[in-house]
Amino acid sequence: MKRYHLTTFGCQMNAHDSERIKGMLEELGLGEAVDQADADVMVFNTCTIREKPDQRFAAHLAQARALKEHDADKVIAVGGCYAEAQRERLFQLYPFVDVAFGPGTIPHLGEWLGAGGEGVARGSFGIGEERSFAGVLPMHRERRFQAWVQVSMGCNSKCAYCIVPSVRGREVSRRPGEVVAEITRLAREGVREITLLGQNVNSWGRDLAPDVRTDFGELLRACDSVAGIERIRFTSPHPKDFRDPVIAALAECEAVCEHVHLPLQSGSSRILKAMRRTYDRDRYLRLVDRLRAAVPDVALGTDIIVGFPGETEEDFAETLAVVQEVRYDSAFTFVFSPRGGTEAAGMPDQVPDDVKRDRIERLIAVVQRIAAERNAERIGRTEEVLVEGPSRTDSSLLRGRTRRNTTVNFAGDADAGDLVDVAIEGATSTTLRGRQAALVAA
Ligand code: 5AD
Ligand code: SF4
C-alpha cells in the first residue's frame, strides 16, 4: 500500500482542509505514514499569513527534498494559501515539487495525484473549475467528539495588512440547510462540540439567495437546536458583524460557549482606520460592554498586530491601554509582516524591526500578566470540562477544555469525550489545574 504524510501550517480552516485532504487520499487507497520518511506522497498544506509560516514551510520542504533525492519516485504536493499566493513562482523556487494546488480545490486532488499516487502530472499547478466547500468531501476526523464545520469561505473585507482575501477569494456562504444537515450527521456519529469556521464567520449569510437569507444569529440558533450538540464555538468573527441578533443568540443558546474571539488588531483609532477595520476604539469598547452585559462571564480572546506602518509610540500606548481596559483572557500577538500585494506592504513609514520587537515584548508582558490574573480568578470555582485525553505534561493527569476555552489539567478518571465538573485549584497564564468532581452527563 502506498502511504502519504501530511504537514499542516496555519489556521483552523487549514487544519480542517487537511482533514479533507487526508480523507481524499485515503479514498484513493493511500494509508497514513507516521513518519515523513516512510511516505510515498508528501503533502504540505501551507499558510502565508505572515513571513514566519512561509519560512517554516521552506525548512520542512528542504527535508522532503532530501528524502526525494534518495528516492525519485516520491511525490511532493504543496497545497493551501502559500501555494495559491506563489502559484507563478512556486515551481521556479522549488523545482522538485510535483504538484501544487490552492485552498478550495481539494476535491480535485485525486485527479492530480492519480489513483494510488501514480501518474502525476509533474511540475504543474492544479486548477479546479470552481471553488467548493470541503464539507462535502470524505473526511478523516482527528477527534471523535469534536468537529469543525465550515460555514463560509473567502472574505469580503479589505484589511490593509491581510493576504487572505487574495488567496481565498470572495465570501461565499454555505446554505443553512446544508450546515445543519452536516451537524446533525456529526451529532449522530457522537460529536458533542462543533466549531463553526469562516474567514469572517459572523458575516455569514449575507450573500445567500433571498429565499434562504438569514444571519449568523439564526444559524447559531439552528445549530443549538441539534440534539446531542452540547458545545458550539465559532471562529473567526469580525467586530463589525456583531449585530444585536448575534449577541442575543450568544446569550440565549445554551450550547453556545461563553467564549468570543474578538480581534482588536490595534487600540489606536488612527491605525484602525489605516488598517480599514471599519470600527474605532470606542466602538470596539462599546461592543465589549454589550457582550459582557449579554453574557456576563464571557471569556474574550483577541488578535493584535504591532508595528503596522505609521504606528507611533502613542498609537502603541493606546493598544496597551485597550488591553488593560478589556482584560483579555487570551491574546495572539503578531509583529506586522508586509505581505506582497497587500495595501500595507506599500505604505510609507514602515516601522523598524527593533521597534517592532520592543513593542511586542512589552505587549506580551501585559497580555500574560492579565491572562494569569484572569485565570487565577477561576480558582475555587467549578468548571464544566470536555475531556480531550491525557495531559501533555503529566500523564497521570487528564486534559480538557472549559466552556470558556481554557485548557485544564486535572486529576480524574473520565474518558476522552466525557463532560465532567472540575474544581479549579491552580492557574497559570495559559492553563488551569484542578480535580474532577463528578460526571455531569454521561
Ligand atoms: N502581519 C502580521 N499579522 C497579521 N495578521 C494578519 N495579517 C498579518 C500581517 N500581514 C494577523 C491578524 C489576524 C491573525 C490571524 O493574523 O491579527 O487576525
Ligand atoms: Fe494562513 Fe490565512 Fe490561509 Fe489560514 S487562511 S492558512 S491563516 S493564510
Side-chain angles (χ1 to χ4, degrees), residues 11 48-51 159-164 236-237 261 263-265 275 277 302-306 308 332-339 342 344:
C11 63
T48 190
I49 192 93
R50 290 171 297 277
E51 212 174 340
C159 302
Y161 49 80
C162 190
I163 196 158
V164 172
S236 230
H261 188 68
L264 169 68
Q265 311 301 3
M275 287 177 163
R277 289 292 288 172
T302 198
D303 291 344
I304 299 169
I305 299 174
V306 302
F308 186 82
F332 296 113
T333 52
F334 307 104
V335 163
F336 169 71
S337 169
R339 308 313 286 141
T342 62

Side-chain angles (χ1 to χ4, degrees), residues 9-11 13-14 46-49 81 163-164 167-168 199:
F9 303 90
C11 63
M13 188 67 89
N14 248 28
T46 61
C47 170
T48 190
I49 192 93
C81 295
I163 196 158
V164 172
V167 288
R168 295 239 179 203
Q199 255 79 38

Side-chain angles (χ1 to χ4, degrees), residues 29-80:
L30 280 82
E32 184 170 7
V34 178
D35 286 322
Q36 193 178 45
D38 301 327
D40 304 286
V41 181
M42 295 177 271
V43 189
F44 296 90
N45 193 13
T46 61
C47 170
T48 190
I49 192 93
R50 290 171 297 277
E51 212 174 340
K52 236 194 198 153
D54 286 9
Q55 288 165 352
R56 277 181 51 223
F57 161 64
H60 279 253
L61 199 53
Q63 269 176 42
R65 176 193 197 161
L67 290 168
K68 191 166 165 141
E69 272 164 12
H70 289 281
D71 178 358
D73 287 340
K74 286 187 191 281
V75 173
I76 299 179
V78 179

Side-chain angles (χ1 to χ4, degrees), residues 91-102:
F91 295 104
Q92 285 166 19
L93 288 170
Y94 306 110
F96 50 91
V97 169
D98 295 295
V99 62
F101 55 98

Side-chain angles (χ1 to χ4, degrees), residues 96-390:
F96 50 91
V97 169
D98 295 295
V99 62
F101 55 98
T105 53
I106 298 165
H108 299 278
L109 199 54
E111 298 156 32
W112 302 326
L113 288 181
E118 282 160 17
V120 187
R122 304 261 157 149
S124 64
F125 196 93
I127 297 170
E129 290 286 285
E130 240 178 72
R131 290 190 303 156
S132 60
F133 286 106
V136 295
L137 301 174
M139 178 163 59
H140 168 118
R141 235 177 337 98
E142 297 300 332
R143 287 225 180 93
R144 194 169 39 77
F145 49 90
Q146 285 172 326
W148 286 303
V149 177
Q150 188 185 6
V151 304
S152 63
M153 58 182 169
C155 179
N156 289 353
S157 291
K158 296 189 176 63
C159 302
Y161 49 80
C162 190
I163 196 158
V164 172
S166 73
V167 288
R168 295 239 179 203
R170 288 194 63 77
E171 183 173 276
V172 181
S173 298
R174 237 171 125 191
R175 293 170 71 92
E178 226 181 275
V179 174
V180 173
E182 183 176 341
I183 294 171
T184 307
R185 199 180 65 241
L186 289 167
R188 280 202 208 106
E189 291 170 9
V191 168
R192 308 183 88 173
E193 175 177 301
I194 54 159
T195 303
L196 306 178
L197 289 180
Q199 255 79 38
N200 184 351
V201 71
N202 56 342
S203 80
W204 175 89
R206 298 230 179 97
D207 58 304
L208 290 170
D211 58 322
V212 289
R213 189 173 304 147
T214 54
D215 71 356
F216 187 66
E218 285 304 314
L219 184 68
L220 285 175
R221 289 178 195 277
C223 298
D224 186 55
S225 69
V226 175
I229 297 296
E230 294 176 77
R231 290 183 168 194
I232 300 170
R233 304 185 185 280
F234 53 94
T235 201
S236 230
H238 193 303
K240 77 177 168 55
D241 293 307
F242 267 108
R243 314 245 161 112
D244 286 338
V246 177
I247 295 179
L250 286 184
E252 289 160 28
C253 294
E254 221 173 289
V256 176
C257 290
E258 294 75 28
H259 171 241
V260 173
H261 188 68
L262 203 63
L264 169 68
Q265 311 301 3
S266 169
S268 153
S269 294
R270 200 178 67 81
I271 295 295
L272 286 169
K273 189 155 188 219
M275 287 177 163
R276 297 191 190 276
R277 289 292 288 172
T278 73
Y279 54 83
D280 61 11
R281 175 183 176 280
D282 287 347
R283 207 171 126 211
Y284 183 94
L285 290 173
R286 277 202 306 276
L287 172 58
V288 169
D289 289 342
R290 283 160 62 215
L291 283 167
R292 286 196 163 136
V295 187
D297 198 28
V298 71
L300 293 178
T302 198
D303 291 344
I304 299 169
I305 299 174
V306 302
F308 186 82
E311 184 188 72
T312 62
E313 186 56 31
E314 290 71 44
D315 293 315
F316 176 64
E318 289 195 59
T319 297
L320 287 181
V322 172
V323 169
Q324 275 157 324
E325 182 165 346
V326 175
R327 295 178 61 74
Y328 295 102
D329 294 83
S330 64
F332 296 113
T333 52
F334 307 104
V335 163
F336 169 71
S337 169
R339 308 313 286 141
T342 62
E343 188 187 355
M347 285 180 176
D349 303 323
Q350 298 283 330
V351 176
D353 282 347
D354 56 334
V355 176
K356 289 184 193 169
R357 264 198 308 278
D358 172 63
R359 286 184 190 160
I360 198 151
E361 278 169 22
R362 285 152 66 201
L363 175 62
I364 289 172
V366 175
V367 157
Q368 286 184 344
R369 174 177 55 77
I370 293 171
E373 288 168 8
R374 294 284 288 161
N375 279 344
E377 288 166 19
R378 310 314 288 181
I379 295 172
R381 300 191 194 213
T382 298
E383 304 257 357
E384 183 202 276
V385 171
L386 180 59
V387 184
E388 293 180 353

